[in-house]
Amino acid sequence: MSIETQPFDFLVATGQWAFAVTAFLVLLICGASGLAMMTHGVTGPLLVFRWIPRFPADLLQLSPRRVFAIAQLTFREAIRRKALVVFGMFALLFMFGSWFLDNPNERMELQVKNYISFVLTAITWLLLPVVLLLSCWGLPEDIRNRSLHTVVTKPARKTEIVIGRMLGFSTLMTILVVVMGLTGYVWIDREVAFNLTVYSETIDVDGQETLVEYVDEDEGVTVRVTAGDEPTQVTAATSRTALRQENPDLYALTERARIQALGRHLVAKRPVLGTISFKGDDGKPTERGVNTGDIWEYRTYIAGGTNWRAIWDFENVRSEVAADGLVLESSFEAFRTHKGDDIQESLLLQFSLVKVRRSVFRDANNNVVSATAVRKSRDDENAFEATVDGESVAVSRFPVAAHDVEVRNNSYVLIDDPEIVVLIEEEIRAPLSSFNISEFGENITVLKPQITFYDQESGERKQLDLVNDLVNDQGELRVEVACLDSGQYLGMAQRDLFVRLPSSSFAVGYSKAICGVWMMLGLIVVLGVTASCFLKGPIASLLTFVMLLVGQGFMPFLEKIVGGEVEGGGPLESIIRIVRQINVTDQLPENTFYSTIKGIDGFLNQGLFIVKNIVPDFRNFQMDTYVANGFDVPWSQAMAPSIGITLAYLVPCLVVAYYSLSLRELEHK
Amino acid sequence: MDTNEAVNNETMPESDETPETAEVDTPAAPDSDEPVIKIRNLSKIYRDFWGRPKVQALNSLSLDVQKGEVFGLLGPNGSGKTTTMKLLLGLLFPSGGDITILGETATNVEKNERIGYLPEESYLYRFLNAGETLDFYGRLFNMSKADRRERVDRYIEMVGLTHARHRQLKEYSKGMTRRIGLAQALINDPDLVLLDEPTTGLDPLGTRDMKDLILKLRDDGKTVVMCSHLLADVQDVCDRIAILYEGELKQLGRVEDLLTEQGRTRLMTSRLDDAAMAEIREVIERHGASVETIDHPTSTLEELFLRTVEESRERPGRRFVPEDAPASDEEPAANESE
Ligand SMILES: Nc1ncnc2c1ncn2[C@@H]1O[C@H](COP(=O)(O)OP(=O)(O)OP(=O)(O)O)[C@@H](O)[C@H]1O
Ligand SMILES: [Mg+2]
């Protein structure tokens, strides 16, 4: 079991990448041939083809010594251009940052979240302009003051110049990121420690569970210690230092509790997400729960006191991870239909662990048969038959994995072929004891290796082994959630219930997020240096910045437009609709004018499609939300795509940079 | 697609790089008479962003530079000397014509191993100091660390900058920058040195050193192409010169040949008294010649230069065409056929 829902497939990604790069290169060659035809006549394309092998040749003859020489030059240049002033700004920000961020009235989780977000945002947005401007201005400046003339008249290759530049800026950027990242870490740690004035922790003192409650207020320090069943001992001191002097043993105890509390606040939880589905009041599966009015709602609801259930299916629950039990963490949102005195009361909730078996059936020709047509054979208990085209044929059962199944039209079907209904059989059901949830806090449910429960059928208490009895052969475990209070609705989304693996340390999650910032800046360097090979400094900076904006903020919007999901048609059509005040849902009149408009819009849409596919999806680099919310950064969802994107852009950018530098006169105009 | 935009503005260099397999070392072979630089019908038109012609900087220039000679490019400001050099180095792309330099095309990178270039102004990295500068360029030649250390010391010593070795170039005076520029051009011990106005900004001593250096380079069998406005210097060091005017070649030849006027004799002696002078006139008249002037000698290249420029101004369109450079270009055809 790992925290990944869907593993990132590098092979598939590489395939897609190769396809995209090939398409890009073909487009580039076609464009260049067309241009060459215009400038050089019929022999133009020939010229283009003569140029093609030069890039790989140049790359193969790359000399590391020259690359490092240029990288070092770039680095020195940036340093001597006072790029390190950014450190000063960083320091300033942090000196005053705590003034604005410290808010003793805020809950500790929110404060911690603020600190982490602040640090990661500050690092990103301080370094972004520095890195962007440096990498976009380096080469154009070199061309402007013609110092590049003395370099290209030496045996330095164009790829060496480009790679050297990229390397130089990246080195500088790496140093900046590492230093700022470390400073940020220390700062977060200190701020949280400083603001942790109230905590209560259960710690182990000589084998005895001891509750230490600590409050540090203006009036003084109060410590309450409850060891086992003994009565609570209350100690007060004027200050923390006073406590330390007066009662060193107690101080040591509070210190231990404090460190534990710190570890709880600064943590990288590793959630294993399951897939969510619902079961309606009629007992049939459905994709979504009850809607409480807001169609944009992220959560859907199950009704309390009914047969509504929310269902999570977890995969890879193998003995390696579950032998010592599992930890389920949940936080649900309640929607009350009646308000009253009981508003303070918490909601009663029940989990059930279910072992299910998912199967599809195949006939003798290995064709998959939908489970709706399958029944048990009359002759043989373990055999199945189905009616296909009016005839009864023998079929055999095959297991399917949970991630291949989804709910559609009130039945479980294969994702790849929604026509095929999957048979889901419930083999064992173990309802756990109900519990009250707090509405915002997190509920922790510990599943021991042995599950004891009350079996309603037999009316007895039963004990089952978690891994061997409740997890099915494919290593899957189903958790069903019911709300027992009628009149209440409980909101659920995929992330609201997860299996918690032992947490990583905060440092791990934080370093991954810093890594994300680093890779994003690396990509900016690559894009910036490339842009600066064919554009002047300001324009190159603008282009790179626009790429960043589009790739960060406009991506979802672009996806919608390109996917045709936006109402009111393409850009021209929407302008006309606005000018003529035609409602977006109205049909446009059918005439040549409007069909021309639609045609142009279609063309523009193609353009947007290209833009969407050329601009890197910078959203992948945003890992701060994971860390700020106390989660580890998953490899497949965040780390791998980021590494992939940065590497993927390197090769096409080098191609563009090489030909831009080779085909232009390096003369300032 | 933005790349094509950039390509659009420039002429794509048509010339082809010679593949590594093809005769790489032939041009340097001493037995061949192959010129070190061969320029045929070279034209350059500077264009603006939209591709509209702005200036015709060179017009159908043809000339050869032979191995081991010091070649001077002369001409008034804006006549196309720097343009020619940049074309030779592949910094600019020709609008027409062909260049072969050390047997390679101008855009070939490998030829740079054997070339040294001193730009018109020293376009160096101002934030580096002299030692770092030379070390950087040495690394571009893929020299080992030990080799670089030795050369950096030697060339800094040679250009007389040992005292300012650790100061950043932005603090340098014009002449000092020029000196470090020269060291940078020579660091790889090049076979062909292109010097664009090497003596500007140098003090008399530096100028003298520069001239000595050029002569020493020639003695070592190197080829030097230089342009300069200091005609006295050119006259002192150049074997052959070309005079450009508005992008056209107006004079080309050996300095002595160009300066020797076969129909005239000039007499130079130590100071004579009037009686002796009269006697000499008498002797000349006896041989049927007449005395036109007897004067103190002037810098005669200056005369040639001024005359050429004057004539070109009066009678535009006349161009010098060397006998060995046919107007039709069979050379490019041969180049194309590889
Ligand atoms: N980058 C450029 N863009 C446009 N025109 C240029 C450019 N560089 C040079 N020219 C023009 O080309 C012509 C030749 O210039 P070039 O620099 O070759 O002259 P030059 O002989 O070196 O002159 P000088 O003795 O002043 O150095 C001039 O008319 C100049 O204005
Ligand atoms: Mg010049």
Side-chain angles (χ1 to χ4, degrees):
Chain A
M1 201 177 210
S2 73
I3 61 173
E4 324 295 339
T5 38
Q6 253 180 17
F8 183 83
D9 196 334
F10 257 108
L11 216 65
V12 172
T14 314
Q16 282 172 351
W17 172 80
F19 175 75
V21 169
T22 315
F24 173 71
L25 292 181
V26 168
L27 263 173
L28 215 64
I29 292 170
C30 291
S33 301
L35 268 171
M37 195 106 91
M38 288 197 318
T39 50
H40 291 82
V42 234
T43 53
L46 209 76
L47 208 64
V48 173
F49 281 95
R50 224 189 271 167
W51 268 94
I52 291 175
R54 293 197 192 162
F55 170 68
D58 211 67
L59 207 56
L60 283 178
Q61 291 173 24
L62 201 96
S63 139
R65 189 176 273 149
R66 283 198 280 264
V67 171
F68 286 128
I70 292 168
Q72 192 190 30
L73 179 89
T74 307
F75 184 80
R76 272 195 183 136
E77 180 176 27
I79 298 284
R80 295 190 186 163
R81 281 212 185 126
K82 314 272 186 298
L84 298 187
V85 168
V86 71
F87 275 135
M89 287 164 65
F90 185 71
L92 270 182
L93 236 138
F94 274 72
M95 275 192 280
F96 298 108
S98 38
W99 286 5
F100 301 104
L101 284 175
D102 285 354
N103 185 354
N105 302 324
E106 196 109 65
R107 279 189 296 139
M108 198 61 199
E109 295 100 84
L110 291 182
Q111 280 207 62
V112 171
K113 191 169 162 174
N114 282 346
Y115 295 138
I116 300 173
S117 299
F118 171 71
V119 167
L120 290 172
T121 315
I123 294 180
T124 310
W125 287 99
L126 271 180
L127 287 188
L128 202 71
V130 176
V131 168
L132 190 130
L133 290 178
L134 276 178
S135 51
C136 286
W137 284 82
L139 265 177
E141 270 299 286
D142 233 14
I143 294 173
R144 197 182 63 81
N145 54 37
R146 296 194 172 117
S147 34
L148 196 60
H149 282 186
T150 47
V151 175
V152 293
T153 52
K154 304 278 181 287
R157 294 172 181 279
K158 301 282 157 51
T159 42
E160 287 162 348
I161 295 173
V162 175
I163 294 178
R165 284 256 158 208
M166 288 179 180
L167 201 67
F169 290 129
S170 305
T171 311
L172 176 77
M173 180 272 286
T174 307
I175 292 175
L176 288 169
V177 167
V178 167
V179 173
M180 287 189 177
L182 281 176
T183 320
Y185 181 83
V186 172
W187 185 82
I188 292 174
D189 203 54
R190 265 201 43 212
E191 283 297 307
V192 173
F194 181 75
N195 283 292
L196 189 72
T197 49
V198 179
Y199 50 86
S200 73
E201 291 289 323
T202 311
I203 54 174
D204 186 49
V205 182
D206 303 329
Q208 193 174 33
E209 284 196 350
T210 309
L211 177 70
V212 179
E213 290 164 287
Y214 176 94
V215 179
D216 187 347
E217 287 164 331
D218 292 344
E219 296 86 58
V221 174
T222 320
V223 186
R224 300 155 64 90
V225 179
T226 320
D229 302 329
E230 292 167 31
T232 306
Q233 293 183 332
V234 184
T235 317
T238 47
S239 72
R240 200 170 155 70
T241 359
L243 179 72
R244 185 181 197 164
Q245 282 158 3
E246 294 159 16
N247 201 335
D249 289 347
L250 185 63
Y251 177 82
L253 207 62
T254 63
E255 200 53 13
R256 270 183 62 196
R258 205 171 76 90
I259 287 166
Q260 187 173 321
L262 270 179
R264 241 170 12 87
H265 285 297
L266 284 178
V267 71
K269 291 188 270 193
R270 302 202 301 142
V272 181
L273 298 180
T275 47
I276 187 172
S277 60
F278 294 88
K279 208 152 78 178
D281 203 22
D282 51 4
K284 285 185 181 162
T286 122
E287 300 150 71
R288 289 179 74 78
V290 181
N291 195 314
T292 53
D294 184 357
I295 51 162
W296 298 114
E297 187 101 70
Y298 159 67
R299 294 188 163 86
T300 57
Y301 291 77
I302 59 171
T306 65
N307 289 325
W308 271 98
R309 300 284 182 272
I311 297 170
W312 273 268
D313 284 306
F314 294 101
E315 297 185 62
N316 298 317
V317 190
R318 310 228 179 246
S319 52
E320 308 94 82
V321 286
D324 298 333
L326 286 177
V327 177
L328 294 180
E329 181 170 327
S330 56
S331 59
F332 302 114
E333 189 189 281
F335 181 87
R336 292 162 206 271
T337 49
H338 55 82
K339 309 210 166 185
D341 295 340
D342 59 348
I343 195 134
Q344 294 302 327
E345 284 174 20
S346 35
L347 280 160
L348 206 58
L349 203 74
Q350 189 178 32
F351 286 174
S352 304
L353 304 182
V354 188
K355 178 178 183 182
V356 291
R357 179 170 183 181
R358 296 176 184 77
S359 356
V360 289
F361 297 89
R362 290 169 189 272
D363 63 13
N365 300 327
N366 221 15
N367 292 324
V368 186
V369 179
S370 197
T372 41
V374 173
R375 63 191 171 274
K376 273 214 161 91
S377 171
R378 251 168 278 142
D379 316 325
D380 185 349
E381 263 292 287
N382 295 321
F384 295 87
E385 55 191 34
T387 316
V388 180
D389 299 333
E391 278 180 53
S392 186
V393 293
V395 291
S396 28
R397 171 205 281 272
F398 288 91
V400 271
H403 63 254
D404 289 328
V405 177
E406 66 176 2
V407 176
R408 253 200 221 179
N409 302 328
N410 291 345
S411 47
Y412 285 97
V413 296
L414 287 183
I415 290 179
D416 290 339
D417 187 356
E419 297 287 301
I420 306 292
V421 175
V422 177
L423 180 70
I424 307 249
E425 295 157 286
E426 207 173 293
E427 301 197 321
I428 300 171
R429 165 178 288 267
L432 307 180
S433 46
S434 55
F435 63 98
N436 277 315
I437 62 156
S438 48
E439 204 175 318
F440 281 114
E442 29 194 63
N443 315 294
I444 301 284
T445 312
V446 179
L447 303 180
K448 298 227 168 77
Q450 301 296 321
I451 306 282
T452 328
F453 66 99
Y454 176 75
D455 187 34
Q456 271 155 334
E457 275 173 39
S458 58
E460 296 169 358
R461 287 191 76 76
K462 270 192 173 180
Q463 197 180 44
L464 286 179
D465 191 83
L466 177 62
V467 179
N468 295 323
D469 299 332
L470 286 165
V471 174
N472 74 9
D473 295 343
Q474 275 119 294
E476 298 158 349
L477 175 69
R478 171 172 281 200
V479 178
E480 257 188 34
V481 181
C483 175
L484 301 183
D485 286 325
S486 53
Q488 310 285 2
Y489 287 86
L490 209 53
M492 316 264 172
Q494 190 202 10
R495 295 188 162 270
D496 288 348
L497 175 72
F498 53 84
V499 173
R500 232 182 108 165
L501 294 185
S503 304
S504 301
S505 79
F506 170 68
V508 171
Y510 178 82
S511 332
K512 283 189 187 166
I514 290 286
C515 227
V517 175
W518 179 72
M519 282 186 285
M520 181 189 85
L521 293 175
L523 184 55
I524 293 281
V525 167
V526 170
L527 292 176
V529 170
T530 307
S532 72
C533 288
F534 55 91
L535 292 172
K536 283 188 189 163
I539 320 278
S541 317
L542 195 68
L543 179 73
T544 315
F545 187 65
V546 166
M547 278 215 187
L548 177 71
L549 270 191
V550 171
Q552 183 116 302
F554 299 151
M555 231 22 173
F557 185 56
L558 266 182
E559 274 166 2
K560 268 194 186 166
I561 296 181
V562 174
E565 287 170 42
V566 176
E567 282 189 358
L572 277 187
E573 187 182 328
S574 15
I575 291 174
I576 285 170
R577 277 180 191 272
I578 290 168
V579 171
R580 299 215 171 164
Q581 305 200 329
I582 307 174
N583 201 309
V584 283
T585 47
D586 286 352
Q587 278 289 321
L588 289 178
E590 300 268 341
N591 59 29
T592 29
F593 174 69
Y594 283 110
S595 40
T596 317
I597 292 293
K598 287 202 165 149
I600 298 175
D601 274 349
F603 187 73
L604 288 177
N605 211 349
Q606 291 294 311
L608 284 181
F609 175 80
I610 293 177
V611 168
K612 184 194 154 268
N613 283 287
I614 280 190
V615 172
D617 193 341
F618 277 100
R619 286 173 299 173
N620 279 300
F621 297 107
Q622 288 175 325
M623 300 176 193
D624 53 335
T625 20
Y626 289 104
V627 185
N629 286 307
F631 290 109
D632 195 2
V633 181
W635 172 260
S636 298
Q637 272 73 50
M639 291 303 280
S642 308
I643 298 173
I645 286 184
T646 309
L647 291 181
Y649 274 84
L650 198 60
V651 172
C653 280
L654 279 183
V655 171
V656 170
Y658 169 78
Y659 287 108
S660 309
L661 274 190
S662 299
L663 295 177
R664 67 178 288 195
E665 297 179 329
L666 299 174
E667 181 77 1
H668 178 63
K669 296 236 165 103
Chain B
M1 288 286 85
D2 311 76
T3 42
N4 288 335
E5 216 82 71
V7 176
N8 196 7
N9 306 328
E10 322 295 342
T11 330
M12 216 186 262
E14 283 186 71
S15 44
D16 196 4
E17 277 180 46
T18 323
E20 283 75 11
T21 47
E23 358 92 66
V24 169
D25 45 9
T26 24
D31 49 341
S32 75
D33 293 341
E34 190 70 3
V36 174
I37 295 174
K38 202 156 82 178
I39 300 176
R40 290 293 174 271
N41 296 317
L42 187 66
S43 303
K44 177 65 192 174
I45 299 170
Y46 283 104
R47 296 175 186 277
D48 68 2
F49 181 80
W50 307 107
R52 290 174 306 198
K54 267 196 306 194
V55 190
Q56 167 109 38
L58 273 187
N59 189 3
S60 206
L61 175 73
S62 297
L63 56 85
D64 285 348
V65 176
Q66 302 300 335
K67 183 171 165 22
E69 72 177 341
V70 178
F71 191 91
L73 268 177
L74 307 186
N77 293 132
S79 56
K81 305 181 293 290
T82 302
T83 304
T84 311
M85 288 224 177
K86 285 184 180 168
L87 284 164
L88 285 175
L89 289 159
L91 290 172
L92 298 175
F93 302 148
S95 312
D98 289 278
I99 299 167
T100 314
I101 176 165
L102 294 168
E104 307 275 352
T105 57
T107 44
N108 181 306
V109 182
E110 274 116 47
K111 71 163 198 315
N112 292 345
E113 298 272 4
R114 297 163 52 207
I115 294 182
Y117 169 53
L118 173 66
E120 192 166 19
E121 275 160 45
S122 298
Y123 307 124
L124 301 169
Y125 292 95
R126 292 160 47 82
F127 52 86
L128 296 180
N129 65 36
E132 288 166 344
T133 304
L134 292 189
D135 186 68
F136 168 67
Y137 291 109
R139 280 160 88 182
L140 292 187
F141 283 104
N142 226 339
M143 291 169 190
S144 71
K145 195 168 182 141
D147 190 17
R148 283 191 327 256
R149 197 177 304 142
E150 186 269 324
R151 281 182 198 239
V152 169
D153 290 345
R154 178 146 54 90
Y155 283 100
I156 286 184
E157 163 97 62
M158 185 195 89
V159 295
L161 284 176
T162 317
H163 62 285
R165 178 180 176 143
H166 297 292
R167 285 166 59 191
Q168 285 187 23
L169 261 50
K170 62 180 169 208
E171 300 169 12
Y172 274 23
S173 73
K174 181 166 185 194
M176 288 160 84
T177 334
R178 214 68 201 130
R179 284 165 189 259
I180 190 74
L182 181 71
Q184 161 277 134
L186 297 177
I187 187 116
N188 57 328
D189 200 8
D191 295 334
L192 170 64
V193 190
L194 301 171
L195 304 171
D196 199 343
E197 300 188 19
T199 48
T200 44
L202 290 186
D203 54 29
L205 214 70
T207 312
R208 164 84 161 281
D209 289 347
M210 178 69 84
K211 284 198 278 190
D212 290 346
L213 179 88
I214 293 171
L215 292 175
K216 186 178 164 292
L217 286 172
R218 180 177 60 188
D219 292 344
D220 292 347
K222 318 275 180 191
T223 315
V224 181
V225 176
M226 59 177 282
C227 46
S228 178
H229 293 294
L230 295 179
L231 300 173
D233 302 343
V234 174
Q235 192 174 358
D236 286 351
V237 298
C238 287
D239 299 316
R240 288 201 306 145
I241 54 165
I243 300 182
L244 296 179
Y245 182 79
E246 294 194 337
E248 294 191 343
L249 183 62
K250 298 296 181 188
Q251 289 280 5
L252 175 70
R254 297 194 65 77
V255 179
E256 308 94 87
D257 296 351
L258 287 177
L259 296 185
T260 327
E261 294 167 52
Q262 292 304 336
R264 290 172 183 196
T265 304
R266 173 174 291 192
L267 202 69
M268 206 190 302
T269 66
S270 53
R271 187 143 189 91
L272 294 172
D273 56 23
D274 289 351
M277 282 298 288
E279 229 169 278
I280 288 168
R281 278 172 202 275
E282 201 178 302
V283 172
I284 290 170
E285 268 156 31
R286 209 188 309 137
H287 286 274
S290 66
V291 174
E292 289 176 357
T293 49
I294 291 181
D295 57 1
H296 303 293
T298 52
S299 149
T300 45
L301 184 56
E302 192 175 326
E303 275 176 13
L304 173 73
F305 182 84
L306 291 176
R307 202 169 64 230
T308 310
V309 171
E310 221 95 282
E311 276 174 13
S312 303
R313 207 169 275 158
E314 280 159 20
R315 283 180 286 163
R318 249 182 23 149
R319 190 193 310 158
F320 181 94
V321 182
E323 309 89 68
D324 60 329
S328 72
D329 37 20
E330 46 173 73
E331 293 297 327
N335 198 24
E336 206 75 351
S337 68
E338 51 86 23

